[in-house]
Amino acid sequence: MRKRVHLLILLSLAVESSSCHVWFTKKKPVAAPIAPIPLPDPKPIPPEPTLPPPPPKIDETPNPSAPTIPPEKIVTAPAPQRPRPTRRRPIVAAPKQITEAPQQEQPASPSAPKLAQLFSSEQRNEYNKTLDDALNRVRAVLSLAASRQLSDGQHEVVNRIRAFEKQALQARDQDLLAALSLANRADVLAKELQAQFQ
């Protein structure tokens, strides 16, 4: 918005400048000077207000006829009482009687039961077959990589494949689905490595 205003001002100044003005306009007659406008007379300053006279002084002697209240009728509010802090007595256990009987070792408390996955025999067989197939493909690529000279990046990939393979074998008995997932990760990395060999 400001740019537009500035642009309009510059444009009007360019049109009105003397170089453009001579060609496109006629000379205007010079106007007579205007007489100054008279200023109004200043208002007179009002006088300062006068203060009222001070109040009369009152004698400070007490009124002898003021009523007095007998002290027995004056009621004072009782002071608030603080609640007493309650003392807690320490709990003392009864002394144990020591007996000479040998203590039996208590069996370790059984740990919380672990959740196991329940599969039908068909599902278990299918998962085991898929897991074995993935691990066999991984082992084939690892044996192929052992016979080649690998770059640093390829050595890293081989180490990752071996780590996934090892974790899959360890998890096979406890968590078949986790073992299958780890074997699939190793298989994907092995396929990528095999593609680099060709």
Side-chain angles (χ1 to χ4, degrees):
M1 184 68 185
R2 281 187 167 180
K3 289 183 178 181
R4 288 184 182 175
V5 172
H6 289 288
L7 187 61
L8 288 175
I9 290 173
L10 288 174
L11 186 61
S12 64
L13 286 176
V15 170
E16 292 295 322
S17 68
S18 62
S19 63
C20 293
H21 192 296
V22 173
W23 299 100
F24 298 111
T25 60
K26 296 180 181 178
K27 289 187 178 182
K28 293 183 181 177
V30 178
I34 301 173
I37 301 172
L39 295 174
D41 294 334
K43 294 182 180 179
I45 299 174
E48 290 187 24
T50 58
L51 296 174
K57 291 191 175 186
I58 302 174
D59 291 334
E60 293 185 12
T61 58
N63 188 355
S65 63
T68 58
I69 301 173
E72 39 299 327
K73 290 192 176 185
I74 296 176
V75 178
T76 58
Q81 295 179 356
R82 284 192 214 163
R84 289 186 193 177
T86 57
R87 291 187 182 177
R88 294 185 181 176
R89 294 184 182 182
I91 299 174
V92 179
K96 292 182 180 179
Q97 294 182 359
I98 300 175
T99 59
E100 295 297 319
Q103 294 182 354
Q104 296 177 354
E105 289 187 25
Q106 294 181 359
S109 62
S111 61
K114 295 186 179 182
L115 298 176
Q117 299 167 343
L118 299 177
F119 300 113
S120 67
S121 60
E122 284 180 12
Q123 286 177 327
R124 183 171 297 282
N125 291 338
E126 183 180 335
Y127 287 148
N128 279 323
K129 183 181 181 306
T130 307
L131 179 66
D132 289 334
D133 291 345
L135 290 176
N136 287 335
R137 285 190 300 269
V138 166
R139 289 181 187 125
V141 172
L142 287 176
S143 65
L144 181 64
S147 65
R148 296 190 177 239
Q149 192 166 8
L150 304 175
S151 67
D152 291 338
Q154 290 173 335
H155 275 293
E156 260 185 57
V157 173
V158 167
N159 290 336
R160 288 178 62 196
I161 292 171
R162 285 185 181 140
F164 283 133
E165 178 190 20
K166 182 179 178 184
Q167 291 172 356
L169 290 173
Q170 289 173 349
R172 185 175 202 159
D173 293 332
Q174 290 88 17
D175 190 355
L176 188 58
L177 289 179
L180 187 58
S181 174
L182 291 165
N184 284 335
R185 289 181 188 177
D187 190 24
V188 168
L189 288 174
K191 285 178 183 176
E192 290 176 2
L193 185 65
Q194 188 177 14
Q196 291 177 5
F197 293 156
Q198 294 175 355

